[in-house]
Amino acid sequence: MEILTLEALRDNYIYILIDTFHKTAVVVDPSESAPVLEALHKRNLSLTAILNTHHHHDHVGGNNILLEMFPSAKVFGGKNEGRIPSQHVFLAENDCFTVCESQCRILDIPGHTRGHIAYYFEKEGWLFSGDTIFGGTCGAIFEGTPEQMFESLKKIAQLPPNTSIWCSHEYTEMFMPEAAKLDAHNSKILERTHRVKQLRNTGTPTVPLLLQEELDTNPFLRFSNPEFASQYNSNPGLDTFLKVIQASG
Ligand code: ZN
Ligand code: FE
């Protein structure tokens, strides 16, 4: 299986997973249909599924037109989410299914929305995480509670550190200064800031994120680190996470 990264809208990423042998494809969070149709057409691929992480328009905006073009494609989403256009399959934590001959497992990660899910490919070490974690930051808490977001991020933090995180927005460069403020003594953030700037200057995506790098430099994933927690005079865990959320305003 191959992954194609498409840039869409202002700073969204759409991912196309390709089964090169069968010439089929699956799309993750198609914010719009045009770039997806173009990519499929160019490679002579037919779309078999749409995987949505949550219902926001910049993740499902292309669903209906893609379905018109590929009427047999199935739309996947979380069972608690609702509001995903034309959803066929309603998924819960640990549900497993096959995508392009690879096994995918669902992580239920509410917080950004109430039914937000992630698509995890354990063998490949890939996580499609929507708007829950970004480079150096986490998603806005719109429908869930900070406690739910904490549990969701903890679930991600416990995956193997070499996991590739395919998040849905290019936010890394924008949030590095904020990360540096929230974790003032962390030299790895300054190193990352420099590297990210170089990538972005040439228009190179910072995705996929590497989980280990987030554990090292993303203040919203560093809650279990005792040194980090001590900056906030808090106990590692939820206590620290809530203080980081508070400090980030
Ligand atoms: Zn969103
Ligand atoms: Fe989004």
Side-chain angles (χ1 to χ4, degrees), residues 165-187:
I165 301 176
W166 305 83
C167 62
S168 290
H169 291 272
E170 181 58 65
Y171 285 161
T172 316
E173 186 178 22
M174 183 163 60
F175 279 95
M176 277 298 117
E178 166 89 357
K181 247 191 280 165
L182 293 169
D183 192 3
H185 307 295
N186 188 343
S187 62

Side-chain angles (χ1 to χ4, degrees), residues 70-90:
F70 298 97
S72 59
K74 293 280 171 278
V75 177
F76 292 70
K79 77 168 170 40
N80 299 323
E81 184 70 348
R83 301 158 291 173
I84 291 175
S86 311
Q87 184 173 352
H88 302 104
V89 187
F90 296 78

